[in-house]
Amino acid sequence: MKPEVLQLSPILIPEVRERLEALFTVHRYYEQADKDAYISAHGNNIRAVVTGGHTGISQALMARLPKLEVIAVNGVGTDAIDLAYARDRGIQVTATLGALTEDVADLAIGLLIGVCRGLCSGDRFVRAGHWATSATPLAPLPLARQVSGMRVGIVGMGRVGRAVAQRAAAFGCPIRYTDLQPQDVPYGFESNLQQLAKDSDALILAAAADQGEALVGRKVLQALGPDGYLINIARGKLVDEPALIAALEAREIAGAALDVFADEPRVPEALFEREDVVLQPHRASATVQTRTRMGEMVVASLVDVFAGRTPQGLVI
Ligand code: 8YV
């Protein structure tokens, strides 16, 4: 009999879906109208969960899956999983470590350029027909901020932070970073986030959010200052969003570019009308190439666990 898998979020690559369904009996939890009744009917037979980094799995749901052996995260973040509880139950947790590094770093740089150079405002300006009609071409658009040579501060020097640093270095940007401890990288370490913000023109968040705290609040934003930009490709909960909105409104920072939000998919409406922000719907890893690689890792990790092998990307 094929092992039964509970799938909590969609997989967008057809080949990966087909392979998953060929090897396992897949229960698409995310499609169920009555999730409670669905778990009452199937929960006792579920041996694996497939979920996204943002979706994770609640402890309450894990508790209803007594035969659960493995949670395969189609992503790298494990902040939405109670790892201590999983460990106590002997449930293995895997993540697609390394599969999405390049894409996430690419988007961080894309967002940095996007917000500093006003790419989205420029696009809206052209589409609205303002370029052709404006008396002084480009008059309503303010001059942009140069990206090359900006002082970049990176929060979290893990795989993604390093890939962001490599890219920013190619733009001639001096780089400093903060992390729980100094890493073996050729960039200056700063233990104090507020000081890092003060010394940066752009602060890029690439940290894990397992501690669940908002690292970036009013003080860090004020330290970043009226010429500083905040880029977040990590987790929305790392930022105190009301403080960010207040800082933008008071022009205490120059702008923000965000791929992630505290309560996705809900985004504070106060951000919608602002020209000094660039917004993305959490899609830093959403390329065909990366999602294929991630999906293949998810399937391989389930195969390995059920064959008694140590899966690649084992977190606990
Ligand atoms: C994905 C993520 O969007 O890796 C993560 O933790 O949040 C993202 O890469 C998500 O996991 C989609 O499945």
Side-chain angles (χ1 to χ4, degrees):
M1 249 193 14
K2 294 198 259 182
E4 300 200 20
V5 173
L6 189 68
Q7 191 184 342
L8 303 194
S9 54
I11 287 184
L12 303 176
I13 304 291
E15 294 78 7
V16 172
R17 277 203 306 269
E18 281 159 23
R19 183 139 171 75
L20 196 67
E21 277 157 22
L23 294 169
F24 307 104
T25 300
V26 178
H27 296 275
R28 292 198 193 142
Y29 179 77
Y30 62 93
E31 284 181 353
Q32 306 308 316
D34 188 344
K35 294 189 166 52
D36 187 54
Y38 194 77
I39 293 302
S40 298
H42 300 283
N44 283 342
N45 303 322
I46 299 296
R47 296 177 60 196
V49 159
V50 170
T51 187
H54 175 72
T55 307
I57 180 170
S58 69
Q59 198 201 98
L61 181 51
M62 280 195 252
R64 295 184 69 190
L65 311 174
K67 298 211 180 91
L68 185 60
E69 292 168 52
V70 55
I71 299 167
V73 179
N74 190 24
V76 291
T78 51
D79 51 294
I81 299 174
D82 186 336
L83 292 179
Y85 174 82
R87 195 181 282 115
D88 282 351
R89 286 238 339 242
I91 299 167
Q92 300 186 64
V93 176
T94 68
T96 62
L97 305 180
L100 46 70
T101 309
E102 311 303 330
D103 273 3
V104 178
D106 288 354
L107 194 78
I109 298 298
L111 287 173
L112 176 65
I113 297 176
V115 68
C116 288
R117 298 299 299 269
L119 291 189
C120 298
S121 312
D123 180 85
R124 285 190 286 271
F125 178 78
V126 175
R127 283 170 197 262
H130 294 329
W131 193 18
T133 55
S134 103
T136 318
L138 295 182
L141 284 181
L143 287 177
R145 167 62 161 96
Q146 184 176 38
V147 172
S148 288
M150 279 178 105
R151 295 171 305 157
V152 168
I154 299 177
V155 181
M157 196 41 84
R159 289 183 187 82
V160 171
R162 285 165 207 237
V164 171
Q166 271 180 1
R167 285 158 176 73
F171 282 81
C173 297
I175 293 154
R176 292 184 65 72
Y177 74 99
T178 192
D179 205 317
L180 298 177
Q181 59 230 356
Q183 304 293 311
D184 184 18
V185 290
Y187 317 111
F189 174 70
E190 172 54 67
S191 61
N192 185 298
L193 175 55
Q194 219 172 303
Q195 187 62 44
L196 181 72
K198 192 163 180 285
D199 295 339
S200 302
D201 300 313
L203 195 63
I204 302 184
L205 306 187
D210 293 277
Q211 311 304 321
E213 52 180 321
L215 298 175
V216 176
R218 184 149 191 258
K219 286 189 174 150
V220 171
L221 293 165
Q222 282 177 341
L224 187 57
D227 297 323
Y229 293 83
L230 179 73
I231 315 297
N232 192 0
I233 38 83
R235 281 289 184 269
K237 62 181 138 178
L238 293 175
V239 177
D240 174 347
E241 274 176 359
L244 173 62
I245 292 163
L248 287 162
E249 284 172 352
R251 308 240 177 255
E252 286 172 347
I253 65 168
L258 312 168
D259 183 47
V260 287
F261 301 87
D263 184 25
E264 294 170 13
R266 282 163 289 276
V267 174
E269 284 188 22
L271 297 172
F272 291 174
E273 301 302 321
R274 303 199 64 85
E275 291 297 326
D276 53 4
V277 299
V278 170
L279 307 173
Q280 283 288 302
H282 195 152
R283 59 199 305 268
S285 67
T287 67
V288 172
Q289 292 71 20
T290 287
R291 286 291 168 86
T292 302
R293 217 164 22 244
M294 289 164 66
E296 284 166 355
M297 278 182 81
V298 165
V299 174
S301 71
L302 297 188
V303 169
D304 283 344
V305 167
F306 290 124
R309 293 188 295 264
T310 304
Q312 203 191 337
L314 185 66
V315 177
I316 59 162

